[in-house]
Amino acid sequence: MILNRAKNPSSEYRPIPFWSWNDKLEQEEIIRQILLMNQAGLGGFFMHARGGLQTEYLSSDWFDVIRTALKSGTENSMNPWAYDENGWPSGFGDGRVYELGLDYQQKYLRCKKATPAETVSAEHVIACYDLNGQRLDSAQINTVSELLLLYFDVNPYYVDTLSREVTDKFIESVHQTYYNTLTEDERKKMRGFFTDEPQISRNGIPWSFGYEKEYRKVYDEELLNVLPHLFFPLQGYECTRWRFWRLTTHLFSENFLKPIYEWCEAHGWQLTGHLACEENYKEQLTCNGAVMPHYRYYHIPGMDALGRNLIPLANILQLTSAAAQLGKEQVVSETFALCGWAVDFADLKWLYQWQTVHGINLLCQHLEGYSLRGIRKRDYPASLFAHQPWWNDYKPFNDMVSRLGVLLSKGEIKTDILLLHGITTAHILFDTTPESQNLIAKYSDCFENLSCLLEGAHLSHHYGDETLMELYGSVTDGKLVVGKQQYRLILLPKLMNLSG
C-alpha cells in the first residue's frame, strides 16, 4: 500500500516552496506560475509576502490574488498555504500590532550600576537594589552610594510574544482577516499558515509586563525580590534562573504558539513553520527559552537549514525527536536559502538527503521569486524557479523527494536510545557576561559531540526534553516512555541540572 502510494505521490507529500510575492501581483501571472510549479512536480506553495511587494498586503487587491491562487492551485491538485506575515519574524501583523503601543512591543531586561541621582532620570525603571541584590524601597535608595538599577529597553518594531493579549491582536490582524474575507469554499482550498521565526528576544534577557503576576502565580514568590539573580551569581541564583527561563519557555508556548495552533484547529486550517535560532543552547535560550517544547503546537513542525553546508546535528534531532514523540507524521525543512546561483541538482540532493536520513520528510524550498527585477535577485539566492536553466529537468528531483516523503512519513519510527537535552543547564548558567556564554557553549558542545559520537557509531537516538518528558513521560516494562516512543537506554551528557 505504501509502496504503491510512493510510485506517484499525492500533493500532500510533494515539496511546498516559498513563493516570494515580491512585486506588483497580476492574476494572469499568478496562474501562469502555478502551472509551471505543477508541471515541475511541486505539491503546493506558501504565498509569502516579501521585500519588493507592490500590492498592498491584506488589501482587497491582495485577496483578489489570493483567491486566484487558491482556485488555480486546487484546480491543479496543489495545496495553497498562506504565510502569516509581511516579511518576518511572524507576530507583528505588518506593523498593526506593535503600533498599538508599549504594552504590545518587545522589551529587554537591563541592569546597570548607578547612583541614586541617576534613578530620577532613568526611563522604564523596574526596581532598584543594593549591590548585594537586596531590593530597595524609595526611602532606602538614598542610603547607598551605588545601586543596581534594573530597567527595560524597547524594540518598537517587534512584539511581546509572551503576552496573550498581543497574540490575540496578531490573530485578529492576520488570521481572522483571512477567515472573514474568504468565503467558506475559498477557506477549504487553503491548507493553513506558515509562521516564520517568531521569537522572544534577540538581544538578551526578555521582559514582559506579565512576568510578575505569572511568576507569583506559579512559584508563590515575588520576582522583583530576586531579579538581580538573572545578572549576578548571588545566593540562590540557580533556582531563580531555572524558574525564570522555565516560565519564559512556558509563556512563549502558551501565549503565542498555542493560541495560533488552536485558532487554526478551530477554523479548519493547519499551522506549520519554524522557530528562530534553533542551533545550540545559547542561541535557542534567549530566542525561545527552549525549542523542543514548542513543537507540540505545530501540526507540521519545522526547522531552518541555510546555506550549502550541513547544519548542526542537534538542530535537526531536536525537531525530529520531538515530532516522533508527539506523533507528528510530517516534519518540514525550509532549506536551500543562501546556496547561491551556482547550486545544482547534486548539491540539492545531498543537502536534502542528509536531512531525510535524520527524519525530515517534507521539503520547503527557499525560494521561488515571483520576480527577479532589480535587487530582488539578491534575496537569499538562488531562486529555484523558472529562471533556472535546469527548470525543465526539475520534476525528477521533486518526484524523488516526494517518494521519500511518503515512505518516511508512513514508516514506523523506533530507537532505543534517549540522550537527555541539557537546556536547563544553560538556563542556570546564563547571564549577560561573556564568561557565562562561553561556559554555556562548552556544555552545548559536549552535548552535541556525544550525539555525533553516537551518530558516527550508527546508533540511532532521540533527544529527551525535560518539559516534554514531564508532560508525556512514564515508565512501562522497564522502558522510559515519552509520548509515542519507548527507550531502554538513557544517556546523560555533561549537566549541571536535572529538573525535578
Side-chain angles (χ1 to χ4, degrees), residues 3 191 208 275 278 283 387 402 411 473:
L3 291 177
R191 182 78 180 273
S208 175
L275 300 160
E278 305 142 321
E283 295 299 325
H387 324 99
S402 305

Side-chain angles (χ1 to χ4, degrees), residues 168-212:
D168 287 343
K169 286 295 183 183
F170 174 51
I171 293 172
E172 177 186 319
S173 298
V174 178
H175 305 73
Q176 194 67 50
T177 298
Y178 270 86
Y179 192 83
N180 292 345
T181 306
L182 299 176
T183 66
E184 182 177 357
D185 183 60
E186 289 164 346
R187 293 178 206 135
K188 291 177 180 178
K189 294 174 181 176
M190 194 172 90
R191 182 78 180 273
F193 287 94
F194 190 106
T195 192
D196 199 7
E197 299 192 2
Q199 54 201 254
I200 300 165
S201 165
R202 292 293 287 270
N203 195 15
I205 300 173
W207 184 250
S208 175
F209 291 153
Y211 264 131
E212 295 173 62

Side-chain angles (χ1 to χ4, degrees), residues 377-426:
K377 65 179 64 68
R378 296 179 175 86
D379 184 3
Y380 293 82
S383 173
L384 307 177
F385 203 11
H387 324 99
Q388 292 285 359
W390 45 252
W391 176 258
N392 292 333
D393 300 313
Y394 197 27
K395 188 175 187 298
F397 174 84
N398 289 316
D399 288 344
M400 177 272 293
V401 165
S402 305
R403 287 192 290 271
L404 285 175
V406 173
L407 297 174
L408 292 172
S409 62
K410 294 301 181 183
E412 181 182 358
I413 299 171
K414 185 177 181 181
T415 180
D416 288 332
I417 303 173
L418 185 75
L419 175 60
L420 194 71
H421 197 288
I423 188 62
T424 64
T425 291

Side-chain angles (χ1 to χ4, degrees), residues 75 83-84 90 100 105 124 145 162 184 236 251 254 288 366 373 408-409 433 471 495:
E75 286 175 350
Y83 182 96
D84 68 2
S90 294
L100 294 171
Q105 294 165 356
H124 306 318
S145 59
L162 303 174
E184 182 177 357
L251 292 177
E254 299 299 310
N288 311 286
H366 186 297
R373 188 163 58 89
L408 292 172
S409 62
T433 63
L471 290 170
L495 298 169

Side-chain angles (χ1 to χ4, degrees), residues 16-22 33 37 42 44-51 83 87-88 196 304-307 333-341 343 348 363-372 375-388 390-391 394:
I16 314 168
F18 272 179
W19 186 12
S20 174
W21 285 11
N22 60 0
Q33 293 191 14
M37 285 188 266
L42 299 170
F45 43 82
F46 293 109
M47 300 174 285
H48 182 357
R50 203 165 170 94
Y83 182 96
W88 72 93
D196 199 7
D304 209 359
L306 303 178
S333 171
E334 175 197 324
T335 192
F336 304 148
L338 294 175
C339 281
W341 283 105
V343 69
L348 300 180
L363 172 61
C364 169
Q365 295 101 325
H366 186 297
L367 47 61
E368 296 190 347
Y370 176 91
S371 169
L372 293 188
I375 200 171
R376 294 165 178 82
K377 65 179 64 68
R378 296 179 175 86
D379 184 3
Y380 293 82
S383 173
L384 307 177
F385 203 11
H387 324 99
Q388 292 285 359
W390 45 252
W391 176 258
Y394 197 27

Side-chain angles (χ1 to χ4, degrees), residues 10 127 155 320 340 395 440 444:
S10 58
N155 173 12
T320 55
K395 188 175 187 298
I440 290 172
S444 186

